[in-house]
């Protein structure tokens, strides 16, 4: 900033204005355009430095600029780069704090504290819901066993069926042995035959078959009281639907200062 004494020699020794004294030969301070331009530049730079646009119809801009600059210096110290602020309304700190740059944290996120070294700051992860897999379940099994009720089915009879007369296969030539003994009259066998205890045989009758009659008959089967043991596995259940793990929450708008 320039003083009037930097522009003209008509200023006093301190470089300030003087009314002069004609009687004593002291000239009043001349007001050149250079000084007024200096003052104007100072005032314009103050307004612009506060982030305001020059408005020729607004005579209060210097005051607004000073207030804005004071506020800016205040929030610059309160909100250093990297700080996070929260709003319960839709506010944009880029507009609230001119000269600073803020980034929105993001939507539908929760906060997890980073490492003390700051190595993982701003990293993301996690999910609001999960789906369990077999690997998430503890080792276990399902045991199932049962017994049927005891019931006496009594005695059952098969149906009657006549199998008719069946013939044996041809047995071929053969004979039958006969043992002799005395009859009940105390004599030898009839006709004076062999003595008691002797053996004889029938003649050879050649190939022949025998007929056997199998008449209609049935069989009875006893089914006593008894039970059966049953074992197995249960049926598969479940659908693998994902479930939420989100805690009860309240939503706020979060910003962090990047510059």
């Amino acid at each position: 900033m320039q003083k009037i004494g930097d522009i003209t020699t008509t200023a006093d020794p301190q470089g300030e204005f003087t009314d002069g004294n004609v009687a004593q030969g002291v000239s009043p301070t001349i007001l050149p355009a250079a000084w007024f331009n200096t003052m104007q530049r100072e005032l314009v730079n103050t307004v612009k430095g506060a982030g305001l646009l020059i408005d020729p119809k607004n005579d209060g801009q210097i005051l607004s600029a000073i207030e804005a600059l004071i506020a800016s210096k205040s929030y610059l110290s309160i909100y250093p780069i990297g700080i996070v602020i929260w709003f319960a309304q839709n506010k944009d700190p880029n507009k609230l704090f001119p000269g600073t740059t803020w980034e929105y944290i993001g939507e539908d996120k929760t906060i997890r504290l980073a490492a003390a070294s700051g190595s993982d700051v701003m990293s993301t992860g996690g999910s609001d819901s999960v789906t369990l897999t077999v690997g998430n379940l503890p080792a276990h099994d399902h045991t199932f066993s049962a017994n049927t009720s005891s019931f006496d089915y009594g005695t059952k009879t098969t149906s009657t069926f006549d199998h008719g007369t069946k013939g044996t296969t041809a047995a071929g030539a053969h004979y039958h042995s006969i043992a002799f003994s005395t009859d009940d009259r105390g004599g030898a066998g009839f006709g004076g035959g062999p003595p008691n205890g002797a053996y004889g045989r029938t003649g050879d009758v050649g190939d022949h078959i025998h007929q056997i009659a199998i008449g209609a008959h049935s069989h009875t089967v006893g089914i006593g009281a008894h039970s059966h043991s049953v074992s197995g596995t249960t049926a598969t259940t479940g659908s693998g639907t994902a479930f939420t793990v989100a805690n009860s929450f309240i939503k706020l708008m979060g910003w962090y200062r990047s510059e």
Side-chain angles (χ1 to χ4, degrees), residues 35 44-45 47 89 96 113 123 125 127 135 138 167 170 233-234 254:
W35 184 82
V44 168
N45 288 333
V47 173
Q89 295 179 348
L96 295 176
L113 298 181
S123 61
S127 174
T233 57
T234 60

Side-chain angles (χ1 to χ4, degrees), residues 236-251:
T236 301
T237 186
S239 61
T241 303
F243 62 93
T244 179
V245 293
N247 295 322
S248 179
F249 58 81
I250 183 171
K251 290 192 173 184

